[in-house]
Amino acid sequence: PISDISTWLILVFVILSIVILVEIIFAVRSLRQTPLPPVPPKIVALRGGTISLLSDKKVYQVGEVLPVHVQISTGGKKTDGTDLLLKFDPKILEASAASIVRGDLYTDYPPVAVNSKTGTIGFSGISSTTGFSGTGLFATINFKAKLRGSTALIVDFKPGLTTDSNMVENGTSKDILEQVVNLNLDIQ
């Protein structure tokens, strides 16, 4: 009787193996004969430009240098230039034209305007030939911490206004700046 059971189990195993093999062959043939639908292209929603203020850390000590990176993103559009008007608290932070390291996104960077009494920095990058499209480092501003306290660095921006921060689209002179990311810091 044991040999009958083992023979029966072997027979069941062989039959199941054959059924599984036939199913696999059928599935492979079906997949080869049925064309797959084409993959639709991925749709990417392009936005307007963005200016973001970034720092290596959020807490600094009095006397310490605070590198603030100004990153721009054109939202996939080509630009002829970017204007930055930045506000800071001159009681807590100190900046000068020499503390600004310009990026290389544009071919020309006119002189920087720093008003240490009102706490404003203004500068531009322009390109008369190639323009810039993408995301990159517009500048690094090396502030010096003067006094303890919480402070904010604010990109002066109001949609539709042309006397503040702007990003100029190539060929249209349209301001495509839509969003800014400000920065809050603590000085201890």
Side-chain angles (χ1 to χ4, degrees), residues 81-121:
T82 297
D83 300 320
L84 175 70
L85 184 56
L86 180 70
K87 295 181 178 183
F88 66 96
D89 185 344
K91 293 178 203 152
I92 296 177
L93 299 176
E94 178 181 298
S96 67
S99 66
I100 299 171
V101 180
R102 298 174 186 106
D104 60 359
L105 305 179
Y106 296 103
T107 55
D108 188 28
Y109 288 83
V112 173
V114 177
N115 187 327
S116 57
K117 292 184 185 203
T118 61
T120 58
I121 297 174

Side-chain angles (χ1 to χ4, degrees), residues 4-22:
D4 288 339
I5 291 176
S6 62
T7 305
W8 184 79
L9 286 174
I10 291 173
L11 183 62
V12 169
F13 178 74
V14 169
I15 291 173
L16 284 175
S17 298
I18 291 172
V19 169
I20 290 172
L21 183 61
V22 169

Side-chain angles (χ1 to χ4, degrees), residues 61-65 144-147 187-188:
Q61 303 298 314
V62 171
E64 194 173 359
V65 173
K144 185 174 181 183
K146 293 177 14 179
L147 189 66
I187 311 301
Q188 297 182 350

